[in-house]
Amino acid sequence: MREQITFLGIETSCDETAAAVIRENKNGTADILSNVVSSQIAEHEKFGGVVPELAARAHLENIEFIIDKSLKDAKINLNEIDGIAATAGPGLIVCLTVGLNIGKSIAAFSKKPFIGVNHLEGHALSPGLENKIEFPYLLLLISGGHTQYLIVKDVNQYEQLGTTIDDALGEAFDKTAKMLNLGFPGGPNVEKFSKLGDKNYFKLPEPIINKAGCNLSFAGLKTAVLRESKKINGDEKMKYNLAASFQNTINKILFKKTKVAIEIFKEKTKKKEVRLIVAGGVAANKSIRENLSNLAKEMNCKTIYPDLKFCGDNAAMIAWAGIKRFNKDLIDKIDISAKSRWPLDSTAPYMKGPGLKLD
Ligand code: AMP
Ligand code: MG
């Protein structure tokens, strides 16, 4: 076995077709030998959201080229790879299956170990690509499909502290953009146009702000944006005011809930020093970063934001999680199947649907 492990990673859980070759270096961080991401924004733009069948077809059309390119960019051939990791969930089954099957096939014919990675574990461990950080740390994962606070205790060991009880944060951004006709993908456009508006113009609700620990809710906020967007009749200035007020409300919610999460983290881990990692596509939002950095200063904790290229969906984080699992002998059988739902903390309560009690 080689001293420094090298993995090919494959990611097709939603609308990015991605492959990467990653090597663990002597410092314990990663050498990014290649990181190829092909986004399908153009395919889904006219529908204002991701269409699963179209996404799966685009993955099928692109995946071989993307994997080939990742090997060529890395100037490496398959013999020099120690294992293959592909996202096995959570995500859209028709999409996951494309990357998972090709990953399993490559592993089978090259007789290499295969690891089916939980996409959320990819995000959770992604700060380790660039930083040597010790466990445990507090993770705020904010993406198009997920919004969670987790204690990352070790590879394969997670404790969920809170999650959204309705929409994911990225979804709230995307829906707000749709209601305001700001285009797709919504998040970056809401951020851009909110800079042109008055953030205090609209008073929007902050659902469950003073209850339910660090669980979050965005549905009531989204409904309020819908109601106001109907009243403003497409007036440009008011649209920017509404985008700015939405962004400001999100900042207030995240400030309060992250504060609660830090307190719970301290209590559970008995650690005085807290490292807060913010990952996922929405972590690209500069206003959210500034806001959470202010909170961190106030609470004397350290924030780490993965580089933008590792915030959104990518295969570097999947290869990296593969290496980390491989080092712990967490190797999968080749018959592992795709899972649409796959929480990192299997003991965490399911926080959606009627009958949910919050206190
Ligand atoms: P992911 O699910 O990790 O691929 O991230 C995609 C989600 O991140 C989508 O909902 C995007 O709208 C959102 N997103 C990307 N950039 C930003 C941004 N600058 N501000 C807010 N949301 C963003
Ligand atoms: Mg994505």
Side-chain angles (χ1 to χ4, degrees):
M1 189 55 67
R2 289 173 196 89
E3 216 176 279
Q4 286 164 283
I5 302 297
T6 307
F7 257 62
L8 167 67
I10 301 170
E11 155 66 38
T12 62
S13 65
C14 188
D15 59 342
E16 268 95 21
T17 316
V21 179
I22 302 298
R23 178 170 290 158
E24 187 174 37
N25 64 32
K26 291 208 170 85
N27 309 326
T29 58
D31 288 337
I32 317 292
L33 303 189
S34 67
N35 183 27
V36 186
V37 183
S38 162
S39 174
Q40 304 173 2
I41 288 174
E43 263 100 337
H44 304 290
E45 200 168 10
K46 53 184 172 294
F47 301 100
V50 176
V51 184
E53 299 302 330
L54 289 183
R57 195 188 304 169
H59 287 312
L60 269 175
E61 282 166 4
N62 294 328
I63 190 74
E64 276 181 45
F65 173 79
I66 298 292
I67 291 174
D68 207 35
K69 181 162 167 43
S70 75
L71 293 169
K72 282 196 181 119
D73 285 2
K75 298 188 179 59
I76 211 168
N77 65 46
L78 260 186
N79 296 333
E80 298 164 87
I81 300 255
D82 298 297
I84 289 103
T87 307
L92 301 164
I93 288 285
V94 282
C95 295
L96 287 164
T97 316
V98 177
L100 185 62
N101 283 347
I102 200 160
K104 291 199 288 190
S105 312
I106 297 171
F109 80 69
S110 62
K111 300 194 171 54
K112 308 267 182 195
F114 179 77
I115 295 171
V117 171
N118 183 321
H119 181 86
L120 305 176
E121 179 160 56
H123 279 300
L125 301 179
S126 67
L129 283 161
E130 303 163 285
N131 311 276
K132 188 151 177 48
I133 40 172
E134 278 166 34
F135 299 111
Y137 50 84
L138 174 64
L139 175 74
L140 167 59
L141 174 58
I142 39 180
S143 72
H146 299 274
T147 305
Q148 305 178 345
Y149 290 100
L150 292 150
I151 303 179
V152 181
K153 296 178 175 176
D154 201 342
V155 177
N156 206 34
Q157 278 185 46
Y158 302 92
E159 182 174 348
Q160 185 177 301
L161 302 182
T163 185
T164 174
I165 60 164
D166 39 57
D167 294 342
L169 184 53
E171 216 178 328
F173 267 96
D174 292 338
K175 285 178 181 163
T176 294
K178 209 169 176 179
M179 290 184 266
L180 297 178
N181 252 325
L182 297 177
F184 176 84
N189 285 334
V190 171
E191 181 178 17
K192 184 170 139 200
F193 290 108
S194 67
K195 290 191 191 120
L196 307 172
D198 172 3
K199 67 177 185 182
N200 297 314
Y201 194 92
F202 291 95
K203 174 93 191 87
L204 299 170
E206 295 158 31
I208 65 168
I209 194 73
N210 289 319
K211 60 176 184 177
C214 61
N215 289 298
L216 306 116
S217 166
F218 303 107
L221 170 58
K222 179 184 68 186
T223 313
V225 172
L226 177 65
R227 203 169 42 239
E228 298 297 345
S229 69
K230 284 185 175 154
K231 285 191 217 154
I232 64 180
N233 242 336
D235 179 285
E236 288 293 303
K237 188 70 205 150
M238 294 299 259
K239 260 168 64 167
Y240 302 152
N241 288 344
L242 193 44
S245 303
F246 170 81
Q247 172 84 59
N248 187 38
T249 309
I250 292 295
N251 282 345
K252 286 199 270 182
I253 295 171
L254 288 182
F255 194 95
K256 175 72 201 288
K257 292 292 179 176
T258 307
K259 193 171 188 174
V260 176
I262 291 171
E263 277 155 6
I264 302 175
F265 178 91
K266 279 185 177 162
E267 198 184 298
K268 287 198 178 248
T269 61
K270 310 280 177 238
K271 294 260 171 203
K272 288 200 181 70
E273 248 184 45
V274 181
R275 282 170 306 256
L276 167 70
I277 316 282
V278 190
V282 186
N285 188 291
K286 289 202 188 68
S287 178
I288 290 177
R289 287 183 176 215
E290 262 170 46
N291 172 52
L292 292 177
S293 294
N294 288 340
L295 169 69
K297 227 182 259 164
E298 191 184 303
M299 299 207 52
N300 216 359
C301 70
K302 197 176 164 209
T303 46
I304 298 175
Y305 303 99
D307 190 90
L308 286 190
K309 62 180 173 294
F310 305 129
C311 276
D313 291 345
N314 67 87
M317 68 179 191
I318 303 303
W320 182 243
I323 291 174
K324 293 284 146 187
R325 293 185 74 83
F326 178 80
N327 289 342
K328 289 196 175 284
D329 269 335
L330 296 165
I331 296 165
D332 289 301
K333 294 211 178 80
I334 210 78
D335 62 356
I336 180 176
S337 52
K339 298 186 190 99
S340 61
R341 196 176 168 272
W342 187 4
L344 277 180
D345 175 359
S346 57
T347 64
Y350 188 58
M351 296 297 289
K352 282 189 178 147
L356 189 63
K357 284 198 181 69
L358 300 168
D359 47 41

